[in-house]
Coordinates of all heavy atoms in Angstrom, one line a residue:
Chain S
R199 N -14.2 -22.9 -11.6 CA -12.8 -23.0 -11.4 C -12.5 -23.6 -10.1 O -11.6 -24.4 -10.0 CB -12.1 -21.7 -11.6 CG -12.2 -21.3 -13.1 CD -12.1 -19.7 -13.3 NE -10.7 -19.3 -13.0 CZ -10.4 -18.0 -12.9 NH1 -11.3 -17.0 -13.4 NH2 -9.2 -17.6 -12.8
L200 N -13.2 -23.1 -9.0 CA -12.9 -23.6 -7.7 C -13.2 -25.1 -7.6 O -12.5 -25.8 -6.9 CB -13.6 -22.8 -6.7 CG -13.1 -21.3 -6.5 CD1 -14.1 -20.7 -5.5 CD2 -11.8 -21.3 -6.1
A201 N -14.3 -25.5 -8.1 CA -14.6 -26.9 -8.1 C -13.5 -27.8 -8.7 O -13.1 -28.8 -8.1 CB -15.8 -27.2 -8.8
E202 N -12.9 -27.4 -9.8 CA -11.9 -28.1 -10.5 C -10.6 -28.2 -9.6 O -10.0 -29.1 -9.3 CB -11.6 -27.5 -11.8 CG -10.8 -28.3 -12.7 CD -9.2 -27.8 -12.7 OE1 -9.0 -26.7 -12.3 OE2 -8.3 -28.6 -13.0
I203 N -10.4 -27.0 -8.9 CA -9.1 -27.0 -8.0 C -9.4 -27.9 -6.8 O -8.5 -28.6 -6.5 CB -8.9 -25.5 -7.6 CG1 -8.6 -24.6 -8.8 CG2 -7.7 -25.5 -6.6 CD1 -8.5 -23.2 -8.5
E204 N -10.6 -27.8 -6.3 CA -10.9 -28.6 -5.1 C -10.7 -30.1 -5.3 O -10.1 -30.7 -4.5 CB -12.3 -28.4 -4.6 CG -12.6 -29.1 -3.2 CD -14.0 -29.1 -2.9 OE1 -14.9 -28.4 -3.6 OE2 -14.5 -30.0 -2.1
S205 N -11.2 -30.5 -6.6 CA -10.9 -32.0 -6.7 C -9.5 -32.3 -6.9 O -9.1 -33.4 -6.5 CB -11.8 -32.4 -8.0 OG -11.2 -31.9 -9.2
R206 N -8.7 -31.4 -7.4 CA -7.2 -31.7 -7.5 C -6.7 -31.8 -6.1 O -5.8 -32.7 -5.9 CB -6.6 -30.6 -8.4 CG -6.7 -30.9 -9.8 CD -6.4 -29.6 -10.6 NE -5.2 -29.1 -10.3 CZ -4.9 -27.7 -10.7 NH1 -5.8 -27.0 -11.1 NH2 -3.6 -27.2 -10.5
V207 N -7.1 -31.0 -5.3 CA -6.5 -31.0 -3.9 C -6.9 -32.3 -3.3 O -6.1 -32.9 -2.6 CB -7.1 -29.8 -3.0 CG1 -6.6 -30.0 -1.6 CG2 -6.6 -28.4 -3.6
R208 N -8.2 -32.7 -3.4 CA -8.6 -33.9 -2.7 C -7.9 -35.1 -3.3 O -7.5 -36.0 -2.5 CB -10.1 -34.1 -2.8 CG -10.8 -33.0 -2.0 CD -12.2 -33.5 -1.7 NE -13.0 -32.3 -1.2 CZ -13.0 -32.0 0.2 NH1 -12.2 -32.7 1.0 NH2 -13.7 -31.0 0.6
E209 N -7.6 -35.1 -4.6 CA -7.0 -36.2 -5.2 C -5.5 -36.2 -4.6 O -4.9 -37.3 -4.3 CB -6.8 -35.9 -6.7 CG -6.6 -37.3 -7.5 CD -6.4 -36.9 -8.9 OE1 -7.3 -36.4 -9.5 OE2 -5.2 -37.1 -9.4
L210 N -5.0 -35.1 -4.4 CA -3.6 -35.1 -3.9 C -3.6 -35.7 -2.4 O -2.7 -36.4 -2.1 CB -3.2 -33.5 -3.7 CG -1.7 -33.2 -3.7 CD1 -1.1 -33.8 -5.0 CD2 -1.6 -31.7 -3.8
V211 N -4.6 -35.3 -1.7 CA -4.7 -35.8 -0.3 C -4.8 -37.4 -0.4 O -4.1 -38.2 0.3 CB -5.9 -35.4 0.5 CG1 -6.1 -36.1 1.8 CG2 -5.8 -33.8 0.6
E212 N -5.6 -37.9 -1.3 CA -5.8 -39.4 -1.3 C -4.7 -40.1 -1.9 O -4.2 -41.1 -1.3 CB -7.0 -39.6 -2.2 CG -8.3 -39.2 -1.6 CD -8.5 -39.6 -0.3 OE1 -8.2 -40.8 0.0 OE2 -9.0 -38.9 0.6
T213 N -4.1 -39.6 -3.0 CA -3.2 -40.5 -3.7 C -1.7 -40.1 -3.2 O -1.1 -40.9 -2.4 CB -3.3 -40.4 -5.2 OG1 -2.9 -39.0 -5.5 CG2 -4.6 -40.8 -5.6
A214 N -1.1 -39.1 -3.8 CA 0.3 -38.9 -3.5 C 0.7 -38.9 -2.1 O 1.7 -39.3 -1.8 CB 0.7 -37.5 -4.2
L215 N -0.1 -38.2 -1.3 CA 0.3 -38.1 0.1 C 0.0 -39.4 0.9 O 0.6 -39.6 2.0 CB -0.2 -36.9 0.8 CG 0.5 -35.6 0.3 CD1 0.2 -34.6 1.3 CD2 2.0 -35.8 0.3
V216 N -1.0 -40.1 0.5 CA -1.2 -41.3 1.2 C 0.0 -42.1 0.6 O -0.2 -43.0 -0.3 CB -2.5 -41.9 0.7 CG1 -2.6 -43.3 1.4 CG2 -3.6 -41.1 1.3
G217 N 1.2 -41.7 1.0 CA 2.4 -42.1 0.3 C 2.6 -43.6 0.2 O 2.3 -44.3 1.2
R218 N 3.2 -44.0 -0.8 CA 3.5 -45.4 -0.9 C 4.4 -45.8 0.3 O 4.3 -46.9 0.8 CB 4.3 -45.7 -2.2 CG 3.4 -45.3 -3.4 CD 4.3 -45.5 -4.7 NE 5.4 -44.6 -4.7 CZ 6.7 -45.0 -4.7 NH1 7.0 -46.2 -4.6 NH2 7.6 -44.1 -4.7
V219 N 5.3 -44.8 0.6 CA 6.3 -45.2 1.6 C 5.8 -45.7 2.8 O 6.2 -46.7 3.3 CB 7.1 -44.0 1.9 CG1 8.0 -44.3 3.1 CG2 8.0 -43.6 0.7
L220 N 4.6 -45.2 3.3 CA 4.2 -45.6 4.6 C 3.1 -46.8 4.5 O 3.2 -47.7 5.3 CB 3.5 -44.4 5.3 CG 4.5 -44.1 6.4 CD1 5.7 -43.5 5.9 CD2 3.8 -43.1 7.4
S221 N 2.2 -46.6 3.7 CA 1.2 -47.7 3.7 C 1.8 -48.9 3.0 O 1.4 -50.0 3.3 CB -0.1 -47.3 3.0 OG 0.3 -46.8 1.8
E222 N 2.7 -48.7 2.2 CA 3.2 -49.9 1.5 C 4.8 -50.1 1.8 O 5.2 -51.1 1.4 CB 3.1 -49.7 0.0 CG 1.6 -49.4 -0.4 CD 1.5 -49.1 -1.8 OE1 2.2 -49.6 -2.7 OE2 0.6 -48.3 -2.1
G223 N 5.4 -49.2 2.4 CA 6.8 -49.4 2.7 C 7.8 -49.1 1.6 O 7.3 -48.7 0.6
I224 N 9.0 -49.3 1.9 CA 10.0 -49.1 0.9 C 10.0 -50.2 -0.2 O 10.1 -51.3 0.1 CB 11.4 -49.2 1.6 CG1 11.5 -48.2 2.7 CG2 12.5 -48.9 0.5 CD1 12.0 -46.8 2.4
R225 N 9.7 -49.7 -1.4 CA 9.5 -50.8 -2.4 C 10.8 -51.4 -2.8 O 11.7 -50.7 -3.2 CB 8.8 -50.1 -3.6 CG 7.4 -49.7 -3.3 CD 6.9 -48.8 -4.4 NE 6.7 -49.4 -5.6 CZ 5.7 -50.2 -5.9 NH1 4.6 -50.3 -5.1 NH2 5.6 -50.8 -7.1

Side-chain angles (χ1 to χ4, degrees):
Chain S
R199 286 158 72 182
L200 290 178
E202 190 261 340
I203 299 171
E204 185 193 344
S205 71
R206 277 159 59 201
V207 174
R208 293 201 187 275
E209 203 189 296
L210 207 56
V211 175
E212 292 311 319
T213 62
L215 283 195
V216 177
R218 296 176 300 115
V219 171
L220 254 69
S221 52
E222 302 171 36
I224 304 271
R225 296 167 66 82

